């Protein structure tokens, strides 16, 4: 369980074009999804929190008009990089929050499961 | 101040031996969760183990265990019987439950290399 898919896995585009990346929770409903950006040999940088049915919450310094996020259903969030430029080239990775109920072993956990990532190259 | 600190940028371990990856955290929130993720060269982030601040016992998942020392604010990951496939980046992360955004704060990561 707790599988998150991300599409495409790799995209190369020309400068000035827009690119859409999809993030899907395959076997659970995710009211909250997250979008991260990762530079080579660095940690993950949270870009925004995507809540189903409401506007995304962007982290400081992230341009909301450049990185459009839509969370139209409980299993799908999309990130659109608008008018992409070479400096937008990066590894983008999404996660979906799964809230588990209490089981006999332990209290319910609240875990983020990650998609496989999308490598964006802007020429 | 860093909320999550991983002081080991790189670690080596011999195959079949155990290894401990360090993680310390800083929070004033009494309720929080601690996570470890593995990121192989392919880039995917694989969830390994979770520890809640109120959990009485240290979390274990197969060869992974979390050495949770609440007073010291440390949550070290122990990998037993290392395998070549364990070579990867490992990230420690924390979720503070007073933060209603549920976002994770990541450490800088530790690169583990398992030697044959």
């Amino acid at each position: 369980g707790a599988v998150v898919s991300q599409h495409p896995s790799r995209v190369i585009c020309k400068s000035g074009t827009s690119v859409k990346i999809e993030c899907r929770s395959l076997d659970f409903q995710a009211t909250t999804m997250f979008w991260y950006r990762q530079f080579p040999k660095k940690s993950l940088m949270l870009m925004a929190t995507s809540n189903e049915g409401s506007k995304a919450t962007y982290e400081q310094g992230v341009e909301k008009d450049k990185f459009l996020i839509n969370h139209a259903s409980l299993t799908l969030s999309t990130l659109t990089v608008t008018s992409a430029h070479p400096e937008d080239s990066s590894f983008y990775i999404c996660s979906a929050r799964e809230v588990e109920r209490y089981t006999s072993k332990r209290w319910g956990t609240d875990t983020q499961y990650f998609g496989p990532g999308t490598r964006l190259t802007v020429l | 101040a860093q909320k999550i600190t991983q002081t080991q940028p790189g670690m080596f371990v011999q195959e079949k031996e155990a290894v401990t990856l360090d993680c310390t955290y800083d929070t004033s929130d009494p309720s929080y969760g601690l996570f470890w993720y593995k990121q192989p060269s392919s880039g995917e982030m694989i969830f390994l183990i979770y520890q809640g601040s109120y959990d009485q016992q240290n979390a274990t998942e197969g060869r992974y265990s979390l050495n949770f020392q609440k007073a010291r604010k440390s949550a070290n990951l122990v990998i037993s019987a290392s395998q070549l496939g364990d070579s990867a980046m490992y990230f420690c992360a924390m979720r503070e439950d007073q933060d209603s955004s549920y976002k994770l704060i990541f450490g800088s990561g530790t690169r583990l290399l398992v030697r044959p």
Side-chain angles (χ1 to χ4, degrees):
Chain A
V3 179
V4 177
S5 71
Q6 199 171 328
H7 179 79
S9 58
R10 187 179 293 268
V11 58
I12 300 172
C13 68
K14 291 183 178 179
S15 186
T17 60
S18 293
V19 174
K20 180 186 281 189
I21 303 170
E22 291 187 349
C23 179
R24 293 181 186 271
S25 57
L26 297 185
D27 52 0
F28 66 100
Q29 293 184 331
T31 55
T32 308
M33 291 184 173
F34 302 86
W35 287 96
Y36 296 84
R37 183 172 179 176
Q38 188 178 28
F39 292 101
K41 301 188 189 301
K42 297 293 185 182
S43 188
L44 279 71
M45 182 189 79
L46 179 64
M47 299 174 65
T49 302
S50 170
N51 295 300
E52 187 266 338
S54 64
K55 290 183 179 180
T57 303
Y58 291 82
E59 295 298 301
Q60 195 170 8
V62 177
E63 298 177 62
K64 62 178 70 175
D65 294 331
K66 181 162 191 61
F67 299 100
L68 301 179
I69 291 172
N70 184 271
H71 193 156
S73 77
L74 288 173
T75 59
L76 173 64
S77 176
T78 60
L79 167 69
T80 302
V81 183
T82 63
S83 186
H85 290 284
E87 58 265 29
D88 298 325
S89 298
S90 192
F91 187 66
Y92 293 87
I93 190 165
C94 72
S95 70
R97 175 180 169 243
E98 183 189 38
V99 183
E100 299 174 17
R101 297 183 186 278
Y102 175 75
T103 67
S104 60
K105 289 176 64 176
R106 60 189 302 156
W107 290 104
T109 60
D110 184 326
T111 301
Q112 286 186 32
Y113 293 93
F114 284 80
T118 296
R119 191 161 301 281
L120 171 64
T121 303
V122 185
L123 302 177
Chain B
Q2 293 282 348
K3 290 239 177 186
I4 293 285
T5 302
Q6 293 180 255
T7 57
Q8 306 153 314
M11 289 277 287
F12 291 96
V13 65
Q14 205 65 35
E15 192 179 8
K16 300 181 185 177
E17 292 185 350
V19 63
T20 298
L21 306 184
D22 294 342
C23 174
T24 57
Y25 59 92
D26 182 26
T27 183
S28 57
D29 192 336
S31 178
Y32 52 90
L34 297 159
F35 303 79
W36 277 92
Y37 289 88
K38 171 185 178 182
Q39 187 178 41
S41 56
S42 58
E44 60 189 309
M45 290 283 284
I46 302 167
F47 166 68
L48 295 178
I49 198 166
Y50 164 83
Q51 179 84 42
S53 58
Y54 293 119
D55 290 341
Q56 295 296 315
Q57 294 183 333
N58 285 349
T60 61
E61 293 287 349
R63 294 187 299 111
Y64 304 107
S65 60
L66 200 152
N67 184 1
F68 181 45
Q69 298 192 35
K70 198 169 182 177
R72 294 185 179 183
K73 294 189 175 179
S74 73
N76 298 339
L77 176 70
V78 180
I79 306 174
S80 63
S82 297
Q83 302 172 355
L84 295 178
D86 294 335
S87 294
M89 279 290 287
Y90 289 81
F91 290 99
C92 178
M94 176 175 67
R95 182 200 69 241
E96 295 172 302
D97 292 334
Q98 285 185 352
D99 182 349
S100 59
S101 70
Y102 309 108
K103 63 186 179 185
L104 292 179
I105 304 163
F106 282 88
S108 55
T110 295
R111 182 169 297 280
L112 178 67
L113 184 60
V114 181
R115 290 170 167 158

